[in-house]
């Protein structure tokens, strides 16, 4: 019935060709989302539907972009939540007017139909495991991230910390970013944010190299962080000495894994987020609710990429991106 | 007859709403000092700016050495050997004296400034004009008079063949002026021509080989060396005898309306000013530019903070701390810089007139439009302001009408004491006369009028009594019967009138 | 009227163009959203217009939006204040901010640009410290309070006049009366044209300038409050970023001159509407890509400013 | 010397304080990094100082940084240009930008704030369009080219003088000579103080103003180039955001007055160093939290400006 309702609404938004139209709305502008876009567009081409990808510049901007999509009348929207708790109302509004699913970051309390993605806490945990592999004898770790205000960032970071400190899994935990978390073998010294200012991101790494001479590993939690860490380490002549673990699949990160300068990275599957989002939306619009699993989560598991499985991953990625 | 070095033929210049020059002629021979005189707004400065390449003429010809030239830029004029000392100071006060003197024509190669050469040359020229400061002094550290000397030195250092001086002595002391006259004579000896503009007819008589008179943007006549005398010059400038220009009638003086004791200003903290003005009295304040007259009026009016002093207006004691307080006590000030301080160019006649009295023409916080209209209509009629309507922006009115609006602004408040700072600066003759009539009328209605003027004749024509200031002090007071150019000048340059007599 | 003719025509042209090119542009929902956004951003524009009319500038608007937008939910949700108390606090704080700016500018004679540049950094920094870089919002609570930012006065089933727009109209009406009908408005315009002349006419110019900064900060705070009530989610590090520039741009579009003494409230509202309409158009017209937003807004602004200047110069010459 | 005394003392105080409070602050590595950052941001500061000295302002610096920082790697990596050609392009484009700003400001008499506000939007929008919102960088290639931004002249094993700082020193030296020893510098300072006087002295003031905008844009471009060479990663939507404000803040700290006619190159360099030192301090001192950065920078800036003004007013009164 939800599908029917949405169909009725989208009736007035029918395009000239009568093509169905869908939209992906991201959390921001980043290369990570370019891959997602490609996945969505590929699905769109295959299904013969229109796909539009919007990358807002802030939480507030995401809202007006969503509203404009509603005004325009798309058949379905897949959104990456920025602030799941507070934005739930907004998502409910969207869900009422159109078909809404979430990707990358869930908004479980909202009326979204299904979530396509993985749990960032678990992915963070996987990242923590990579750190443990990189420095099995233990040591000091510093985390770098764009900002902590968005949900995926918070959970991802907490996953790393909890894994390193050998705590039990509890995604609702939150350690203040200014304090060090000291575990038996591993110490998480600090989490530094850069508000997406690359120069500041690099300066943060450099300042941590200064402050904590004995730092054993550095973890970059947003796609652009590992390359900045590498750049700073290279310039400091400390590549190899300080282990690097990354997140996401920036080309520089992948190349560094190949070169052995990054131990590994946790990749989500943004291509699949986009691709699956469109397929699910298409199915829902056409009345096929079987695509929604019991727990309303379509798990696209994160994967740990190390040197051994890099080649296949990279080839596949390049293939998907049409490179 | 010898070929004039510089000649101007039928020059015309229009500004929006004003005909500044309507076809004037002028010529200057080599080694000649030509004085150019005329009332304010006669177009003297405008012509000089054309000669110096600051602005182009609309029509007419310019000849140097018999050849027609066009000056598109200041530099063209400089190359042709013409230097202009502007009426207003045009110096950058964040630069040194030497840097200012050579601004725009620094010696040196490939853009590199030869500081040594500038310093040496500046020193030499500063000695010539008699200014004893180091060339490396920052301009901002000099007094107005000394800055004026720098401006003069700047022109001299160009080694020009014609030097134009637009009221160069307006802020100079007597001895500095004397020094300048010597320099001018030396220039004449060495074959340099000087065009000398001044409102001080005494100077003109002393210096000029020939006097050219402008009136309303036209040639009003010319006097050769032997024809130059005071009355002739005035008659030519004004177009009639001066005596009828200033009309004063005898009337009774009332109570003391303004009494000032121990007033000390920021510029001259060591001097205490004190005087009284009675109701119905017109008191003039004479002095050189920078003597502190404006400073005194501003302090009285609370516009610039006074350090201390006792002021009583119509019996009410206390030093006004802001213009607001001053006007509540019954003071009003017509400031000297009309465009900068007196009026709001881009607001309408109506809004300008009612600005000070708006509070009284208001219902609560709201402007009472009908009351405002009434007031404006009344004032426009009373002062015979010429405007197409009360909606007209002041930008498009003549200077005289603008000044009347400043007066109107205050009259609505019925002040007890009217302070006027250079009330007729830059106003044409007709309007000037009307302003004088208004001053006379206010006084006869029982207002106390205190006015600052740099025009000797205005002081002598209008004042019942004159205070003369020099370097922030009141150096003397003259009653109407003791008025003479000499006595006022003597006091204005710090001399003692008794000694002079 | 003459002053806003240009911007009014611009508005109409863009409106008609988008109606033809965009999808469902004229739908009640979209029209409502346009009004809502114009309401939210318009408050900031009116605020900064007061400051611009005095010849000043306020770069701290975005940071005040951030401070209030994050501070109010923080007080309510984290410190358990009542919404009324939090709003009172926002009013008091924003008033103090305006007073402080005015004090530095009039009494210490600091330049508005420098003062409010420092403020831009300080209030954002303070908010980030306060909120410890956490997203702020009301979650699903305080519906009644939030309705000030979210509800609309229904007109048809699809279209309503959103409260923020109603609030804008009320504020704009008061601002218009203030500026055009009261003595204070006259004083503001006079001092914006010629501060010295205004002072010498017995106007307490310092007090008027301070007042303009207070109005600006308080409207920024009101804007910030409505933004958070409406959107329910604010990130301290970027909430309100660049909003001062949008507000200034809207004011300039609406005929305010940064030289002071010039500006109309109606113009500012229309200027804001143009900016919001442009953004909407970019999203609704298929062949306009969303990364062109800045480019298009910038070009429209520049063209408007150049056209305005050329016309002005021509008028001046003809007189 | 007098003008930079205050900021020099500030620098020394913060330096000494951080040396005591921070960890490993005095290490060769950290000192090198401080120099490197001062080098990068200092170029922007010197550029804007030229504009500020003429009494203007340039808000488009951050967007020019973005345009060049994304445009050069885009040309090299995506369009297969040689680095030399891309750099030439950056030079030409930034020169044209400066000429365009200068033209609008001197010939059309538009206000610098408005012109460069439009530019801020336009260049960032253009870059986002050009790069289609994709991150730009050189990957692992062009090491030699990139060494301009990354290498250092070794002094000890730990400490080297980074190329960006060397470039800053060269640029600062040229700028200093230009401003203090050549006629053009003198013209700039004179017209910043009294444009009318400069014009009446036969100086082509328009040309000088245009020149100052050209210098500003070209130094912003040089800065943008070095930023990308150094960091190797740029996102069109946020690269260089707010850098104009940092540059202006550094220039104001360094003694430039936004009223024009005042400013020293050495002061700007020291002002930049203070800003970078503050940020470094916040990271190295344990009890300073990173979200306080804006707050601390803003407060220091405000205190410096207020102190400067009070001292100036006192000196004026004593005369
Ligand atoms: N730039 C200008 N724009 C408009 N009007 C001007 C301009 N310059 C001068 N005028 C007008 O031209 C007329 C002549 O002015 P000018 O300065 O030449 O007089 P002047 O003889 O030098 O007077 P004064 O003795 O007061 O110096 C005046 O009415 C003045 O208001
Ligand atoms: N705006 C100002 N700022 C600082 N100093 C000033 C200012 N105006 C005048 N002065 C200084 O104050 C002193 C007195 O100037 P004031 O203007 O009061 O003289 P004045 O006798 O009224 O001359 P004028 O005939 O030009 O009006 C002079 O030394 C002058 O340099
Ligand atoms: Mg003159
Ligand atoms: Mg005076």
């Amino acid at each position: 019935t939800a599908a029917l309702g949405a169909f009725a609404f989208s009736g007035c938004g029918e395009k000239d060709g009568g093509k169905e139209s869908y939209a992906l709305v991201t959390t921001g502008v980043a290369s990570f989302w370019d891959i997602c876009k490609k996945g969505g567009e590929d699905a769109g081409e295959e299904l013969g539907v229109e796909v539009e990808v919007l990358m807002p510049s802030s939480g507030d901007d995401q809202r007006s972009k969503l509203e404009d999509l509603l005004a325009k009348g798309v058949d379905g929207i897949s959104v990456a939540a920025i602030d799941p708790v507070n934005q739930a109302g907004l998502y409910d509004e969207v869900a009422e007017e159109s078909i809404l699913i979430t990707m990358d970051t869930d908004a479980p309390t909202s009326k979204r139909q299904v979530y396509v993605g993985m749990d960032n806490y678990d992915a963070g945990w996987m990242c923590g495991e990579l750190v443990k592999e990189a420095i099995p004898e233990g040591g000091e770790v510093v985390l770098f991230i764009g900002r902590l205000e968005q949900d995926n960032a918070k959970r991802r970071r907490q996953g790393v910390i909890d894994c390193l400190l050998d705590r039990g899994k509890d995604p609702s935990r939150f350690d203040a970013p200014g304090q060090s978390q000291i575990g038996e073998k591993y110490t998480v010294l600090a989490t530094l944010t850069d508000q997406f200012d690359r120069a500041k991101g690099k300066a943060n790494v450099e300042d941590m190299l200064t402050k904590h001479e004995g730092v054993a590993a550095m973890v970059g939690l947003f796609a652009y962080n590992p390359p900045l860490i590498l750049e700073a380490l290279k310039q400091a002549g400390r590549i190899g000495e300080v282990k690097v673990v990354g997140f996401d699949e920036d080309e520089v990160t992948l190349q560094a894994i190949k070169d052995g300068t990054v131990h590994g990275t946790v990749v989500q599957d943004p291509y699949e987020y986009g691709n699956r989002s469109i397929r699910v939306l298409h199915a829902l619009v056409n009345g096929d609710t079987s695509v929604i699993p019991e727990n309303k989560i379509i798990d696209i598991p994160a994967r740990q990429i190390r040197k051994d499985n890099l080649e296949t991953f990279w080839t596949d990625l390049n293939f998907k991106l049409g490179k | 007859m010898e070929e004039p070095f510089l000649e101007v033929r039928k020059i015309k210049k229009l500004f929006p709403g004003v005909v500044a020059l309507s076809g004037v002629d002028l010529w200057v021979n080599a080694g000649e000092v030509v004085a150019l005189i005329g009332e304010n707004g006669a177009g003297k400065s405008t012509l000089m700016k054309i000669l110096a390449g600051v602005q182009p003429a609309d029509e007419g010809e310019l000849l140097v050495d018999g050849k027609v030239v066009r000056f598109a830029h200041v530099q063209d004029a400089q190359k042709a050997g013409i230097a202009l000392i502007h009426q207003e100071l045009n110096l950058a006060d964040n630069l040194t004296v030497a840097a200012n003197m050579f601004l725009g024509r620094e010696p040196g190669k490939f853009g590199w400034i030869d500081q040594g050469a500038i310093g040496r040359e500046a020193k030499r020229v500063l000695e010539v004009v008699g200014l004893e400061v180091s060339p490396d002094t920052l301009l901002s550290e000099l007094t107005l008079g000394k800055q004026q000397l720098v401006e003069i030195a700047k022109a001299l250092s160009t080694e020009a063949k014609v030097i134009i001086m637009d009221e160069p002595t307006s802020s100079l002391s007597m001895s500095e002026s004397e020094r300048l006259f010597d320099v001018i004579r030396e220039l004449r000896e060495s074959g340099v021509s000087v065009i000398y503009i001044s409102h001080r007819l005494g100077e003109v008589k002393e210096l000029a080989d020939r006097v050219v008179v402008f009136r309303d943007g036209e040639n009003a006549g010319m006097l050769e060396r032997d024809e130059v005398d005071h009355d002739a010059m005035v008659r030519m400038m004004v177009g009639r005898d001066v005596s009828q220009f200033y009309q004063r009638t005898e009337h009774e003086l009332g109570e003391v309306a303004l009494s000032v004791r121990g007033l000390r200003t920021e510029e001259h903290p060591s001097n205490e000013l004190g005087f009284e003005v009675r109701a119905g009295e017109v008191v003039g304040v004479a002095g050189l530019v920078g003597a502190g007259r404006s400073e005194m009026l501003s302090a009285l009016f609370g516009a610039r903070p006074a350090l201390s002093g006792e002021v009583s207006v119509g019996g009410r004691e206390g030093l006004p701390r802001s213009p607001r307080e001053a006007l509540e006590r019954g003071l009003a000030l017509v400031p000297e810089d009309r465009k900068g301080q007196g009026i709001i160019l881009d607001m309408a006649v109506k809004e300008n007139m009612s600005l000070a009295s708006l509070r009284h023409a208001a219902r609560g916080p709201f402007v009472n439009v009908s009351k405002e209209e009434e007031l404006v209509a009344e004032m426009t009629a009373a002062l015979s302001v010429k405007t197409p309507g009360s909606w007209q922006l002041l930008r498009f009115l003549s200077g005289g009408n603008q000044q009347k609006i400043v007066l109107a602004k205050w009259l609505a408040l019925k002040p007890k004491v009217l302070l006027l700072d250079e009330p007729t600066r830059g106003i044409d003759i007709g309007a000037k006369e009307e302003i004088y009539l208004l001053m006379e009328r206010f006084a006869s209605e029982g207002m106390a009028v205190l006015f600052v003027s740099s025009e000797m004749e205005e002081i002598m024509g209008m004042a019942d009594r004159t205070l003369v200031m020099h370097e922030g002090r009141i150096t003397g007071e003259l009653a109407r019967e003791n008025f003479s150019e000499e006595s006022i000048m003597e006091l204005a340059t710090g001399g003692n009138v008794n000694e002079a007599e | 009227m003459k002053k806003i003719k240009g911007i009014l025509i611009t508005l109409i042209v863009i409106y008609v163009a988008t109606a033809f090119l965009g999808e469902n542009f004229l739908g009640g929902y979209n029209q409502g959203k346009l009004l809502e956004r114009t309401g939210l951003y318009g408050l900031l524009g009116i605020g900064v217009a007061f400051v611009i009319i005095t010849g000043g500038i306020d770069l701290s608007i975005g940071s005040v939006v951030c401070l209030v937008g994050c501070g109010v939910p923080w007080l309510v949700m984290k410190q358990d204040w009542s919404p009324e108390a939090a709003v009172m606090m926002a009013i008091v704080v924003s008033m103090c901010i305006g007073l402080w700016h005015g004090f530095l500018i009039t009494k210490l004679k600091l330049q508005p640009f420098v003062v409010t540049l420092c403020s831009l950094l300080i209030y954002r920094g303070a908010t980030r410290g306060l909120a410890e870089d956490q997203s702020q919002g009301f979650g699903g609570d305080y519906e009644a309070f939030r309705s000030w930012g979210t509800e609309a006065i229904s007109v048809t089933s699809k279209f309503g006049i959103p409260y923020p727009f109603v609030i804008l109209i009320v504020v704009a009406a008061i601002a218009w009366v203030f500026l055009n009908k009261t003595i204070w408005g006259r004083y503001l315009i006079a001092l914006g044209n010629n501060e010295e002349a205004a002072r010498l006419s017995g106007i307490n110019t310092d007090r008027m300038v301070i007042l303009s900064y207070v109005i600006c900060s308080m409207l920024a705070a009101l804007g910030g409050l409505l933004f958070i009530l409406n959107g329910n989610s604010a990130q301290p590090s970027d909430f309100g970023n660049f909003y001062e520039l949008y507000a200034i741009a809207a004011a300039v579009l609406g005929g305010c001159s940064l030289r002071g003494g010039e500006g109309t409230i109606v113009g500012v509202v229309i200027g804001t509407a143009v900016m919001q309409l442009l953004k909407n158009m970019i999203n609704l017209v298929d062949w306009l890509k969303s990364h062109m937003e800045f480019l298009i807004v910038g070009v429209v602004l520049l063209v408007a400013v150049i056209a305005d200047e050329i016309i002005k110069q021509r008028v001046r010459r003809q007189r």
Side-chain angles (χ1 to χ4, degrees), chain B residues 51-71:
Chain B
L51 287 180
V54 175
Q55 51 190 210
D58 294 338
E59 276 173 45
E61 279 182 337
L62 218 70
L63 291 89
V64 176
D65 254 343
K67 282 184 276 303
V68 177
V69 290
R70 296 206 125 259
F71 296 153

Side-chain angles (χ1 to χ4, degrees), chain C residues 111-316:
Chain C
Q111 285 182 287
F113 189 100
V114 176
V115 168
T116 56
L117 171 59
C118 295
S119 297
L120 177 156
L121 296 167
I122 293 173
Y123 307 145
R124 184 166 298 281
T127 311
R128 288 183 59 192
L130 201 77
E132 287 178 310
D133 269 352
Q134 300 287 309
S135 282
Q136 302 296 326
F138 298 96
D141 305 333
Y142 296 101
E143 291 277 331
F145 180 33
R146 283 198 48 218
S147 69
W148 286 97
T150 54
E151 295 287 300
I153 302 171
S154 295
V155 177
T156 72
S157 69
K158 287 251 160 211
F159 175 69
I161 300 172
Y163 283 5
F165 188 73
V166 175
I167 294 173
L168 174 73
I169 293 304
V170 171
V171 169
I174 296 173
W176 186 86
V177 169
F178 181 89
L179 214 51
N180 295 293
K181 296 289 164 197
T182 71
I183 52 175
W184 303 306
R186 185 76 66 82
Y187 291 170
L188 271 184
I189 295 173
L191 83 88
N193 265 298
N194 188 338
E195 174 151 5
E196 185 68 5
R199 202 169 63 86
L200 291 181
S201 298
I203 297 169
N204 191 335
T205 49
D206 282 2
R207 197 184 295 165
M208 295 310 300
V209 170
I210 294 174
L211 177 67
S212 76
Y213 282 91
V214 170
I215 292 175
C216 183
S217 291
M218 290 186 74
L219 283 180
L222 177 59
L225 179 66
L226 291 176
F227 268 111
I228 187 66
L229 293 182
N230 179 273
N232 201 27
S233 169
Q235 287 73 46
S237 65
D238 61 23
F239 195 61
N241 257 351
F242 290 120
Y243 283 14
E244 57 280 345
L245 296 188
Y246 298 150
I248 294 168
V252 169
L253 263 179
C256 291
S257 158
L258 292 183
R259 294 185 185 92
E262 235 175 275
T264 70
I265 297 299
V266 183
V268 176
V269 173
I270 299 179
T272 310
V274 168
M275 303 263 297
Q276 294 309 317
L277 190 55
L278 280 176
K279 289 192 197 178
N280 188 244
M281 176 176 82
I282 292 161
N283 282 337
L284 293 191
V285 177
D286 263 328
W287 43 269
L288 291 174
K289 296 289 164 243
S290 82
H291 50 234
M292 294 178 185
E293 182 182 309
F294 274 30
L295 184 63
I296 294 174
V297 173
V299 169
V300 169
L301 185 60
L302 187 63
V303 169
V305 170
I306 291 178
D308 183 57
E309 188 61 33
I310 289 177
I311 291 169
K312 253 190 217 159
Q313 283 176 9
R314 220 170 263 163
V315 169
R316 220 171 282 155

Side-chain angles (χ1 to χ4, degrees), chain A residues 106-286:
Chain A
D106 197 9
T109 58
S110 72
K111 295 187 181 128
R112 53 92 179 133
Q113 306 221 0
V114 67
Y115 168 60
V116 178
M118 44 125 215
D119 188 328
N120 267 294
Y121 183 80
D122 291 338
W125 192 281
M126 289 166 88
C127 190
E129 288 170 0
L130 283 176
V131 177
K132 284 182 171 173
E133 284 172 28
I135 44 167
E137 63 288 351
E140 296 175 333
V141 181
V142 185
L143 311 181
F144 300 94
I145 198 161
R147 62 175 190 187
L148 277 173
E149 290 140 305
Q150 57 198 58
D151 192 60
N152 59 351
K154 249 192 295 195
R155 293 170 73 98
R156 197 177 288 180
R157 166 176 172 274
Q158 202 58 44
V160 181
I161 294 174
D162 289 355
C163 172
L164 287 177
L165 269 57
D166 295 317
R167 296 164 166 168
K169 281 197 179 183
D170 176 9
S172 64
R173 202 180 278 134
F174 182 71
D175 293 308
Q179 269 126 33
S180 310
Q181 277 76 42
I182 303 165
E184 271 182 27
K185 268 172 96 178
Y186 299 93
T187 299
V188 179
L189 290 169
T191 306
L192 283 100
T193 60
D194 52 49
Q195 282 71 46
F196 306 113
D197 180 343
R198 310 276 160 128
K200 176 156 173 54
K202 180 165 167 275
N204 279 343
V205 179
E206 293 162 353
D207 287 349
M208 288 306 108
L209 287 176
T210 298
K211 189 175 178 187
H212 307 293
E213 282 183 314
V215 62
M218 291 184 153
V219 184
L221 288 175
F222 274 11
Y224 63 86
N225 288 121
L228 291 178
I229 296 173
L230 278 173
E231 193 58 47
L233 286 177
K234 199 154 78 185
Q235 287 173 26
R238 296 184 65 182
I239 281 244
E241 194 184 317
V242 179
K243 299 289 183 239
V244 182
V245 172
F247 216 99
D248 295 336
E249 57 281 85
D250 194 285
E251 281 206 22
V252 176
T253 313
L254 297 180
Q255 184 61 41
I257 296 176
K258 196 171 172 185
D259 299 342
T261 50
V262 168
H263 174 75
T265 185
V266 173
V267 295
Q268 317 171 56
D269 198 343
Y271 182 91
E272 197 57 27
Y273 290 175
N275 199 279
R276 187 72 74 85
S277 284
I278 299 300
R279 286 171 196 282
V280 168
L281 287 170
H282 179 68
L284 290 175
V285 164
N286 291 295

Side-chain angles (χ1 to χ4, degrees), chain A residues 9 12-13 15 50 52-55 57-61 63-65 67-68 70-73 82-83 85-87 93 97 147-150 154 174 177 193 195, chain C residues 23-24 29-30 33 36-37 40-41 128 132-140 158 227 230-239 243 279-280 283-284 286 290 293:
Chain A
F9 175 80
C12 59
K15 299 220 175 165
E50 271 187 38
E52 186 176 358
V53 183
L54 295 178
M55 303 191 187
S57 59
S58 65
D60 202 51
D61 193 33
R63 179 169 52 92
S64 41
K65 292 229 149 72
E67 289 167 355
D68 282 351
L70 287 188
K72 203 171 165 183
I82 290 177
D83 180 359
V85 180
N86 295 314
Q87 285 185 316
E93 193 188 324
E97 303 288 338
R147 62 175 190 187
L148 277 173
E149 290 140 305
Q150 57 198 58
K154 249 192 295 195
F174 182 71
T193 60
Q195 282 71 46
Chain C
E23 286 164 64
N24 294 323
Y29 177 77
N30 192 53
K33 283 298 162 190
E36 183 176 295
R37 292 175 205 160
L40 293 170
Y41 287 92
R128 288 183 59 192
E132 287 178 310
D133 269 352
Q134 300 287 309
S135 282
Q136 302 296 326
F138 298 96
K158 287 251 160 211
F227 268 111
N230 179 273
N232 201 27
S233 169
Q235 287 73 46
S237 65
D238 61 23
F239 195 61
Y243 283 14
K279 289 192 197 178
N280 188 244
N283 282 337
L284 293 191
D286 263 328
S290 82
E293 182 182 309

Side-chain angles (χ1 to χ4, degrees), chain B residues 54 73-75 78 86 89-95 99 103-106 110-113 115 118 140-141 154 266:
Chain B
V54 175
H73 293 288
V74 175
Q75 275 167 338
Q78 282 176 358
H86 287 272
L89 286 179
N90 274 297
L91 301 167
D93 66 10
N94 59 342
L95 295 181
L103 189 61
R105 39 184 198 87
E106 288 82 356
F110 313 116
W112 192 276
I113 299 173
Q115 300 282 8
I118 288 186
S140 56
E141 291 170 11
K154 178 177 173 179
E266 278 200 329

